[in-house]
Amino acid sequence: MMEVVNLEKKYYDDSIVTTALNGVSFSIKKGEFVAIVGPSGSGKSTLMHIMGFLDRPTSGTYRFKGKSIDSLTDDELAYIRNQEMGFVFQFFNLLPRTTVFDNVKLPLIYSKIPNKKKNEMVKEAIKAVGLSHRINHLSNQLSGGEQQRVAIARAIVNHPAVIFADEPTGNLDSKAGQQIMEILQGLNKRGHTIVLVTHEKYTSEMARRIIEMKDGKVVNEKEINRPRLAKDGFVK
């Protein structure tokens, strides 16, 4: 599904050149749950931004479903990003004083899908994260963990090919963070491809594969034994 080949990203500020990515290569198959880990400044968030069509590399190749990012216009990137990708960030990015339902519906605003079908998709996504009982609550009436669940529902409402999660537990306590990771595991079991960016060891080990970065390079990759899941997709 995703292929990264010798990817480089440099930032220029007058005469100063900062290398964020330096020859990164790997691939991710459909249905995988991959964690990209590393300390601050390792390049993991820059890499996710390129993989999510939020930025372009300086050199190298990135292919999504066989299409190179270099062959696509900005409008084409935006369209694929909206249709094929879902994003979950550390700071939930919800509209305040807006209901859970309306927050989750945002990615569908410009879709040509009939409104009745849109509403069904929204309810389905909210149910998937266990918040049907909060559907008409305002986002600022929710706890941090609940707000992150809304953000996940918003990310999956379009049935994207891949979900990018950038430090999704970084703003939560350990209990809420565990619940968010269990939801992501459950979504992966149901077929979603997930790319998780994190610096937290316990969070990364809930993925199936870990790609470790340092100083803009991949320094290690490993498969890990994933916690056994119940039939509903949650950890037993």
Side-chain angles (χ1 to χ4, degrees), residues 105-123:
K105 194 174 182 178
L106 280 174
L108 302 175
I109 286 179
Y110 298 109
S111 170
K112 295 181 181 178
I113 298 170
N115 196 57
K116 182 178 179 182
K117 177 62 177 177
K118 287 182 184 179
N119 292 343
E120 291 173 356
M121 293 169 67
V122 172
K123 291 175 183 177

Side-chain angles (χ1 to χ4, degrees), residues 29 31 42 55 68 88 102 119 131-132 154 163 178 198 200 212:
K29 297 177 181 178
S42 62
D55 199 358
S68 172
V88 181
D102 288 336
N119 292 343
L131 281 181
S132 295
R154 182 182 58 195
I163 299 168
Q178 176 74 16
T198 184
E200 298 171 333
E212 184 179 351

Side-chain angles (χ1 to χ4, degrees), residues 35-182:
I36 300 173
V37 304
S40 178
S42 62
K44 58 187 187 297
S45 290
T46 298
L47 177 60
M48 193 208 77
H49 288 164
I50 292 173
M51 294 177 69
F53 289 177
L54 297 169
D55 199 358
R56 290 181 183 266
T58 304
S59 63
T61 302
Y62 170 48
R63 297 186 186 92
F64 180 79
K65 287 190 168 183
K67 293 183 178 180
S68 172
I69 191 172
D70 291 333
S71 68
L72 300 169
T73 66
D74 287 345
D75 286 345
E76 289 171 330
L77 292 179
Y79 179 80
I80 295 173
R81 186 168 59 240
N82 179 262
Q83 297 297 312
E84 301 272 11
M85 301 173 178
F87 295 90
V88 181
F89 296 101
Q90 178 177 351
F91 299 102
F92 325 121
N93 297 330
L94 301 179
L95 293 179
R97 297 180 298 280
T98 304
T99 65
V100 169
F101 183 93
D102 288 336
N103 267 287
V104 175
K105 194 174 182 178
L106 280 174
L108 302 175
I109 286 179
Y110 298 109
S111 170
K112 295 181 181 178
I113 298 170
N115 196 57
K116 182 178 179 182
K117 177 62 177 177
K118 287 182 184 179
N119 292 343
E120 291 173 356
M121 293 169 67
V122 172
K123 291 175 183 177
E124 177 187 347
I126 294 171
K127 181 180 179 181
V129 299
L131 281 181
S132 295
H133 63 296
R134 294 286 206 179
I135 194 167
N136 293 315
H137 282 67
L138 303 181
S139 62
N140 56 353
Q141 295 175 327
L142 306 179
S143 68
E146 288 173 330
Q147 289 186 56
Q148 191 63 293
R149 288 200 223 177
V150 176
I152 293 173
R154 182 182 58 195
I156 66 174
V157 71
N158 264 343
H159 304 292
V162 58
I163 299 168
F164 292 100
D166 190 358
E167 301 284 5
T169 63
N171 204 32
L172 304 174
D173 61 39
S174 58
K175 181 179 179 180
Q178 176 74 16
Q179 291 172 340
I180 293 303
M181 290 308 302
E182 289 181 359

